[in-house]
Amino acid sequence: QVQLVESGGGSVQVGGSLTLSCAGFGSSYARYSMGWFHQAPGEREPVALIDDSGRANYADSVKGRFTVFKDISEKILYLQMDNLKPEDTGMYYCVAREGRLPRCYGGSWCYKSSHFAFWGQGTQVTVSS
């Protein structure tokens, strides 16, 4: 059974780093695509996703600053967040779905909340100047 639990959030100054962790994927870890959504006031937006084959995808706003990766042996998902900016402030949710990520055409970033069946409770990240 999938019960996602995030950890690692906190407060950091602009330019700092944080590493978020997510556990609770259960025995079928290898079958899932997974990743992280960010919610500032407003909708939840995907920022970093990794498919069941291990290929990572990023929103333009975090490319070059965030890295999503898996520890397969421990069944943990990570989000390494570097060079943090005030606009990165918000809740970060770990998400998962069985199988591949939806196909986005033309290089678009088409992922939505509805594409992911499993969600954690979220962890707060605050970036201050």
Side-chain angles (χ1 to χ4, degrees), residues 4 22 25 28-37 48-52 55-57 68-71 75-78 93-101 116 118:
L4 303 179
C22 179
F25 293 92
S28 300
Y29 180 84
R31 297 198 337 232
Y32 293 106
S33 293
M34 53 190 70
W36 298 89
F37 273 62
L49 304 171
I50 187 165
D51 67 19
D52 55 344
R55 185 173 62 183
N57 300 273
V68 61
F69 60 100
K70 301 189 286 188
D71 182 329
K75 299 180 182 177
I76 296 176
L77 177 71
Y78 294 96
Y93 295 91
C94 177
V95 299
R97 59 175 274 144
E98 288 197 49
R100 298 179 179 179
L101 291 172
F116 297 89
F118 304 103

Side-chain angles (χ1 to χ4, degrees), residues 46-107:
V47 292
L49 304 171
I50 187 165
D51 67 19
D52 55 344
S53 68
R55 185 173 62 183
N57 300 273
Y58 300 94
D60 287 342
S61 59
V62 305
K63 280 181 182 175
R65 300 189 299 119
F66 289 12
T67 304
V68 61
F69 60 100
K70 301 189 286 188
D71 182 329
I72 296 174
S73 63
E74 296 293 330
K75 299 180 182 177
I76 296 176
L77 177 71
Y78 294 96
L79 182 66
Q80 176 66 40
M81 311 165 69
D82 297 317
N83 191 20
L84 283 159
K85 302 177 180 181
E87 52 264 40
D88 296 321
T89 293
M91 289 292 286
Y92 283 79
Y93 295 91
C94 177
V95 299
R97 59 175 274 144
E98 288 197 49
R100 298 179 179 179
L101 291 172
R103 194 169 197 175
C104 293
Y105 294 92

